[in-house]
Amino acid sequence: EKLADISTSDMVDLSKTLADNAVPAVLIFARLSSAIALRAGAASASQLTTVAVAFSEVRLADRHLFPRLAQSAVKQVHVFGSTELPSFLAAFATVGMCHEVLLTAAANALVANAAKFAALDLALVAFAYAQFFLVFPPIVSMLQKRLPSCAGELPPVRLAELSVSCA
């Protein structure tokens, strides 16, 4: 069966399954990447997040796929769930793919929904913006207000990662 014949949903699931099982399948990811990139515009926020996280988990910084995911995400940044947007941004940071338009659009959505984020989500946001040395005053302000009261919820390893992100 050709990848062109597989549904976007099945491609998303395959990305996640390959990442979860740590299958050394760079060639499969490469073909999958091309096919998903062509359909990124029709993918949901959840699907975009799943693909970005899957590729980041196997440390594949696909320079064709990630910009397409970002372009699609910018158009629907306000429909991402409270765990999806931080995870999506952290996936980009993990593979070193900076997309300033996405980070700018996401900043507005993150600040508007600040009260919905758990400590881990806030830590992912801090990591994503710190990774690219980008200072967005509304993000900094949100993190300054929210993190001190909830940082204790983070496991020690995540707290250490957060400290490094903010240093």
Side-chain angles (χ1 to χ4, degrees):
E1 190 170 348
K2 293 181 182 178
L3 280 177
D5 298 332
I6 299 174
S7 73
T8 301
S9 182
D10 287 344
M11 285 185 206
V12 169
D13 292 343
L14 178 59
S15 296
K16 177 75 173 126
T17 299
L18 291 173
D20 286 347
N21 295 308
V23 175
V26 174
L27 293 176
I28 295 171
F29 268 102
R31 291 198 59 207
L32 193 57
S33 163
S34 296
I36 291 173
L38 293 174
R39 298 182 190 182
S44 69
S46 178
Q47 290 174 323
L48 294 171
T49 302
T50 300
V51 169
V53 169
F55 274 74
S56 73
E57 285 176 353
V58 293
R59 305 296 191 260
L60 289 176
D62 188 301
R63 303 216 178 274
H64 180 69
L65 175 64
F66 275 85
R68 289 288 186 89
L69 297 176
Q71 290 167 355
S72 183
V74 165
K75 295 174 186 171
Q76 54 183 318
V77 73
H78 293 288
V79 302
F80 276 77
S82 62
T83 60
E84 290 171 342
L85 188 53
S87 295
F88 187 75
L89 297 175
F92 274 71
T94 298
V95 296
M97 299 292 293
C98 183
H99 195 283
E100 289 189 36
V101 173
L102 169 64
L103 291 165
T104 301
N108 295 328
L110 291 165
V111 171
N113 295 297
K116 296 179 182 177
F117 298 115
L120 179 58
D121 303 319
L122 294 170
L124 291 175
V125 169
F127 167 71
Y129 284 86
Q131 191 70 9
F132 302 115
F133 304 103
L134 296 174
V135 177
F136 285 74
I139 292 292
V140 172
S141 177
M142 175 189 73
L143 293 172
Q144 287 174 334
K145 289 177 188 168
R146 293 285 324 283
L147 276 174
S149 63
C150 67
E153 298 170 22
L154 293 171
V157 171
R158 290 291 185 185
L159 191 55
E161 291 171 349
L162 174 62
S163 298
V164 170
S165 291
C166 294

